[in-house]
């Protein structure tokens, strides 16, 4: 025999009831169908009872309940059978109306009367479903015996199992029974508490030693996390009884927790199925499963609206009975404690409860410990609200070392503060408390960290969609599927700003429609608002990407890092600014466990900074750097010819996109100085830009005028460079603008190199660097390649993004 339970949503519409019929009538076993009230009817009945006790007219609600049942009947039956079924329900509607009128007259609603009223939902639906299926109806009031604890009655298991067994013995193939309702020894109607229909089904299953209990609801089963928060959550195929109990206790509202005990005691499996998706696999709950360590965490549950109390005082240390008195006082007020955390020194106890009972709890504790508080033995009674409890659950956690370490490292590096922690000795769950505002972020990072998500997600906030920014987005778009497939990485654009407008989308901005989306946005670009919105969105694995050359953008870096958001910067302003600012950013990133990456500040996509970092971390010391670091200047001097004068080569460099928007930054040597300073700092030297000797090769007057005047007069230098070029050509020599750092002393200058020099064969806009270290002394390390251009710079930014993801 199998027991099938159908929830309120399942019996709430014509289509769903017909689906129940298909599910039941296609079964080959003997079947007992346990049904809940129509979806929402129990809440309507509760409202009716409360309003009646307050003297409010309730005719409208009663009519609504009747109408819902009659409309369902008319959709399921032919006209003749509809009339008969409505007539079968009429005595219950009459009885309900009389009871409610009585409550209205006396103005009092006792727990006993409330149970009587609330039970009508299941009584009505069970008659309706049994007549639709044309099967026997078992009266749960006659077979489930409880005490008189109205509202949540305690079951007399021995008597109940005997009565159910006797009633089911006469079932030929199918029968229907109402859930939720029961009766006391004196015949008074009682109820089994909210979710009691699940409990009813479990009692039937245990009584008849069913082969399986199926709970048909409106979800596919237990999910790895709340799908309303985690879009990547998926159905857990199998759970043990204890795992299901833990997840249910901490907020997974798939099954009523007391349901599990009766079937657990008889080793009866529970199968959670979706009435709306009957072909889905659902979740199977059973005694045990294979001990696999691949996924020690089965799922994450959460409860919001929590208050955390802390009672503290040196007078508690070594005093017996404190905990007993504390939780006894709460028990008297029927306050359920969800989580407990106690200091090993015994000077404090923290516990979490539903926030609705916070005031009552405070009063109860204050009264119980009135003398201790007055004498100072208890010095603190604190209540913190607007909190949430989360729990990771999995029996195999006890077989897997490092779960707690990984959990709290993941939470911490995302800037989430843990308020309290609790873990049982069974190691089946770890629970912790966070602010409500951090709940979504915490669920996401934990779900991802334990491979409950199919991929790691990186949320990108991009400032600057010029040449580099556009190329970056293009590369991301082309590589997205490969990254998902091969590296479990999804890059999601959550915010973007150009110089005029900005847009945000928590679900991700479609790259194919970005141009139209940002042009249609009504939000004007504002760096302060952009950064503040990014922080307020509080998304996990966030990274701020700066593809500008704007000092104002760099001014926001410290704020970004302070809020646990990594930075990837093509903008070299911050790393080459005052040394104290550079150090502050590096230290803030290290302190908060986020990344501040700026590989493309020097050499575009060349691995210069990362190579220096690797050498330094391995114990080497950089003693000298010689480098051609300006792809723009290298392009200009390689392009000079009899037919292409200096001024034309400069203009070509700008048109191609090699130079800065104002090419004088390149020509002045300032750009090379910035890059050399960054390399020197990453090599461990404290150096400022002003300390670098700049041997400029162009008179200062070209840098002191306007950009328009520069373009009008730069041609004056053509003849000077042409004369020198001819001489160099005759001597088979070339110009290279070289930066040198030797033991912390730095300079930049235009140098002439001979054919045998490593810098001689440097084509186009390529960069080259010679690193001399204590290890690479006699033969310096040489790195050479493209050093300018939007595509290679974007590729370098892309590579830094991959580093942030830690794949």
């Amino acid at each position: 025999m199998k027991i099938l339970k159908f929830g309120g949503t399942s019996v709430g519409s014509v289509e769903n009831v017909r689906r129940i019929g298909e599910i039941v009538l296609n079964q080959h076993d003997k079947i007992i169908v346990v049904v809940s009230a129509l979806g929402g009817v129990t809440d309507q009945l509760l409202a009716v009872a409360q309003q009646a006790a307050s003297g409010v007219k309730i005719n409208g609600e009663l009519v609504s309940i009747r109408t819902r049942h009659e409309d369902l009947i008319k959709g399921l039956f032919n006209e003749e059978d509809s009339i008969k079924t409505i007539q079968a329900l009429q005595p219950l509607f009459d009885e309900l109306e009389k009871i409610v009128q009585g409550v209205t007259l006396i103005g009092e609603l006792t727990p006993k009367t409330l149970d009587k009223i609330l039970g009508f939902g299941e009584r009505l639906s069970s008659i309706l479903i049994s007549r639709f299926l044309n099967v026997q109806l078992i009266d749960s009031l006659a077979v489930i015996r409880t005490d008189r604890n109205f509202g949540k009655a305690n079951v007399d298991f021995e008597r109940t199992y005997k009565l159910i067994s006797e009633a089911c013995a006469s079932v030929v193939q199918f029968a229907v029974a109402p859930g939720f309702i029961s009766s006391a020894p004196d015949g008074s109607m009682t109820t089994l508490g909210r979710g009691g229909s699940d409990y009813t089904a479990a009692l039937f299953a245990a009584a008849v030693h069913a082969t399986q209990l199926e709970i048909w609801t409106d979800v596919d089963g237990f999910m790895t996390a709340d799908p309303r928060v985690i879009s990547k959550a998926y159905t857990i195929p199998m759970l043990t009884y204890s795992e299901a109990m833990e997840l249910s206790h901490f907020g997974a509202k798939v099954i009523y927790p007391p349901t599990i005990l009766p079937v657990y005691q008889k080793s009866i499996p529970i199968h959670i199925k979706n009435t709306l998706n009957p072909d889905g696999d659902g979740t199977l709950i059973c005694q045990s499963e294979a001990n696999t360590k691949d996924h020690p965490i089965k799922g994450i549950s959460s409860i919001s609206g929590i208050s955390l109390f802390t009672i503290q005082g040196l007078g508690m240390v070594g005093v017996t009975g404190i905990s007993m008195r504390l939780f006894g006082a709460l028990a008297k007020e029927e306050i359920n404690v969800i989580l407990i955390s106690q200091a090993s020194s015994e000077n404090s106890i923290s516990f979490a409860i539903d926030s609705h009972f916070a005031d009552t709890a405070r009063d109860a504790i204050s009264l119980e410990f009135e003398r201790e508080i007055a004498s100072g033995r208890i010095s603190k009674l604190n209540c913190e609200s607007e909190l949430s409890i989360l729990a990771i659950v999995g029996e195999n956690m006890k077989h897997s070392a490092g779960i707690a370490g990984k959990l709290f490292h993941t939470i911490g590096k995302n800037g989430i503060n843990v308020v309290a922690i609790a873990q049982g000795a069974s190691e089946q769950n770890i629970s912790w408390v966070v602010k409500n505002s951090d709940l979504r972020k915490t669920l996401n990072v934990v779900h991802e960290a334990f491979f409950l998500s199919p991929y790691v997600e990186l949320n990108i906030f991009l400032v600057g969609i010029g040449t580099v920014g556009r190329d970056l987005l293009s590369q991301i778009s082309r590589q997205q599927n490969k990254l998902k497939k091969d590296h479990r990485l999804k890059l999601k654009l959550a915010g973007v700003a150009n110089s005029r407008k900005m847009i945000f989308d928590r679900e991700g901005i479609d790259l194919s429609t970005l141009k139209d989306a940002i042009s249609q946005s009504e939000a004007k670009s504002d760096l302060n608002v952009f950064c503040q919105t990014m922080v307020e969105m509080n998304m996990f694995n966030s990274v701020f990407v700066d593809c500008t050359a704007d000092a104002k953008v760099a001014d926001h870096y410290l704020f970004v890092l302070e809020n646990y958001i990594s930075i990837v910067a093509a903008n070299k302003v911050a790393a080459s600014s005052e040394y104290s600012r550079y150090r502050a950013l590096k230290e803030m990133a290290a302190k908060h466990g986020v990344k501040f990456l700026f590989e493309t500040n020097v050499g575009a996509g060349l691995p210069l900074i990362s190579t220096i970092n690797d050498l330094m971390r391995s114990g080497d010391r950089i003693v000298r750097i010689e480098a051609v670091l300006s792809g723009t200047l290298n392009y200009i001097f390689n392009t000079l010819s009899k037919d292409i004068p200096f001024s034309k080569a400069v203009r070509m460099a700008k048109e191609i996109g090699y130079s800065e928007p104002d090419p004088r930054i390149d020509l002045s040597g300032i750009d090379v100085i910035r890059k050399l300073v960054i390399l020197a700092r990453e090599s461990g030297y404290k150096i400022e830009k002003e300390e670098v000797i700049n041997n400029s090769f162009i008179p200062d007057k070209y840098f002191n005028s306007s950009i328009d005047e520069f373009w009008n007069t730069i041609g004056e230098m053509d003849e000077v460079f042409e004369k020198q070029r001819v001489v160099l050509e005759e001597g088979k020599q070339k110009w290279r603008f070289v930066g040198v750092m030797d033991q912390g002393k730095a300079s930049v200058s235009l140098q002439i190199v001979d054919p045998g020099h490593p810098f001689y064969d440097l084509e186009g806009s390529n960069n080259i660097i010679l690193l001399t270290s204590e290890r690479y002394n006699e033969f310096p390390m040489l790195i050479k390649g493209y050093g300018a251009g939007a595509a290679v710079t974007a590729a370098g930014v892309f590579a830094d993004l991959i580093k942030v993801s830690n794949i």
Side-chain angles (χ1 to χ4, degrees), residues 66 69-71 73-74 81-91 93 131:
R66 179 192 293 268
H69 286 81
E70 291 180 351
D71 288 346
I73 290 167
K74 292 173 183 176
D81 288 338
S82 291
I83 294 171
K84 290 180 180 178
T85 304
I86 291 172
Q87 288 175 344
L89 297 184
Q90 188 59 47
F93 286 124
R131 294 180 75 91

Side-chain angles (χ1 to χ4, degrees), residues 360-378:
T360 304
R362 181 186 292 277
D363 293 342
I365 297 167
S366 298
L367 180 62
E368 178 65 34
F369 294 99
E370 185 176 7
R371 285 183 298 174
E372 288 85 352
I373 293 171
S375 65
R377 283 180 289 169
I378 290 180

Side-chain angles (χ1 to χ4, degrees), residues 420-656:
I421 302 169
Q423 180 177 16
S426 65
E427 298 184 55
Q428 289 183 3
N429 87 69
I430 301 175
S431 311
W432 69 101
V433 180
V434 300
K435 293 179 180 178
N436 283 342
S437 57
D438 285 329
L439 175 60
R440 176 186 290 271
K441 188 176 184 181
T442 308
L443 284 168
N444 273 285
V445 298
V446 174
H447 195 270
E448 185 175 280
F450 288 97
F451 301 99
L452 296 173
S453 295
Y455 40 72
V456 175
E457 194 167 87
L458 205 62
N459 295 299
I460 299 170
F461 293 85
L462 173 64
V463 176
I465 48 175
T467 53
V468 174
R470 280 198 303 272
D471 266 36
L472 172 64
L473 294 175
S474 177
Q475 292 177 26
I476 290 173
S477 180
R478 291 196 301 271
Q479 292 296 312
Q480 188 73 278
N481 290 334
K482 181 176 175 61
L483 287 171
K484 281 185 183 180
K485 180 180 177 182
D486 296 345
H487 302 289
R488 295 184 58 253
L489 175 64
K490 179 182 178 182
L491 301 179
K492 184 170 75 177
L493 187 64
V496 62
N498 61 19
S499 59
R500 299 176 302 281
K501 294 184 177 182
M502 59 187 183
I503 52 173
F504 299 93
D505 190 336
R506 178 178 288 277
E507 300 305 317
I509 300 166
D510 187 344
L511 299 183
S512 65
T513 59
L514 172 61
K515 185 176 179 180
D516 291 337
I518 198 164
S519 65
Q520 294 168 11
S521 173
E522 297 181 359
K524 293 182 179 179
S525 191
D526 183 313
L527 284 172
N528 291 323
V529 174
F530 186 90
C531 291
Q532 189 62 47
T533 302
M534 174 177 63
V535 170
E536 290 173 355
M537 287 175 74
N538 204 21
M539 297 181 74
F540 69 107
N541 291 351
S542 292
V543 55
F544 179 80
V545 180
D546 180 4
C547 285
T548 74
D550 193 342
K552 292 180 180 178
V553 179
D555 288 341
H556 291 77
Y557 285 6
L558 191 62
F559 172 78
V560 172
L561 295 171
E562 283 175 338
N563 284 281
Y564 295 86
I565 297 173
S566 292
I567 294 175
V568 170
N571 185 347
K572 63 181 71 72
V573 170
S576 63
S577 60
E578 299 82 2
Y579 182 81
S580 59
R581 182 184 180 192
Y582 159 84
R583 285 307 311 164
L585 293 173
K586 297 276 284 189
E587 289 169 1
M588 183 60 70
K591 177 183 177 182
H592 284 192
V594 294
K595 290 185 171 68
F596 173 36
L597 302 178
F598 43 89
E599 182 71 74
T600 56
N601 281 193
V602 186
L606 292 178
L608 303 181
I609 293 174
S610 58
T611 300
I612 289 173
N613 291 160
D614 288 343
L615 290 172
M616 296 287 290
R617 280 193 288 263
S618 67
D620 204 354
R621 189 174 76 88
I622 309 297
V623 295
R624 182 178 173 85
I625 297 173
E626 297 174 81
V628 175
L629 297 172
S630 175
T632 304
L633 293 180
N634 203 50
Y635 171 82
I636 290 170
F637 290 123
N638 280 333
T639 304
L640 286 179
S641 68
K642 179 181 178 181
D643 300 320
I644 302 178
F646 179 75
S647 61
K648 184 176 181 180
V650 173
R651 193 174 292 277
M652 289 170 63
K654 182 179 185 299
E655 291 170 352
I656 292 172

Side-chain angles (χ1 to χ4, degrees), residues 47-52 56-63 100-101 104:
V48 165
Q50 292 173 337
Q51 290 170 6
V56 178
K57 290 185 178 180
I58 38 76
N59 290 339
E61 288 287 352
L62 288 176
V63 169
V100 171
Q101 286 176 347
T104 304

Side-chain angles (χ1 to χ4, degrees), residues 678-741:
I678 292 170
L679 292 180
R681 289 174 174 177
E682 291 296 290
S683 300
Y685 295 97
K686 183 178 180 180
I687 186 171
E688 302 285 0
K689 294 193 299 290
E690 295 75 17
E691 296 171 0
V692 180
I693 299 171
N694 186 358
N695 299 295
S696 180
F697 60 89
I698 291 180
D700 290 344
K701 70 174 186 176
Y702 293 104
F703 306 113
N704 297 329
S705 59
S706 67
I707 184 66
D708 291 335
E709 191 173 346
F710 165 78
W711 286 118
N712 291 332
T713 59
I714 190 61
E716 299 169 356
M717 296 299 298
D718 290 350
E719 185 176 351
V720 175
F721 278 99
E722 177 58 20
K723 287 180 180 179
Q724 296 179 39
R725 188 197 64 78
V726 172
V727 174
L728 291 179
E729 190 174 54
E730 290 174 352
K732 296 183 178 180
Q733 297 172 312
K734 293 183 179 179
W735 274 309
R736 296 290 180 252
F737 193 77
V738 181
V740 178
M741 190 285 298

Side-chain angles (χ1 to χ4, degrees), residues 165-228:
S165 180
E166 291 172 353
C168 293
S170 62
V171 174
V172 178
Q173 176 136 29
F174 304 122
V176 171
F180 183 56
I181 58 175
S182 50
S183 63
D186 64 357
S188 302
M189 184 188 294
T190 58
T191 61
L192 301 177
R194 299 291 283 192
S197 291
D198 288 353
Y199 195 17
T200 301
L203 293 171
F204 270 85
V208 301
H209 301 280
T211 56
Q212 185 167 285
L213 167 61
E214 293 182 4
I215 304 289
W216 289 82
T217 180
D218 58 353
V219 295
D220 286 332
F222 277 88
M223 307 291 284
T224 52
D226 187 342
R228 295 169 298 181

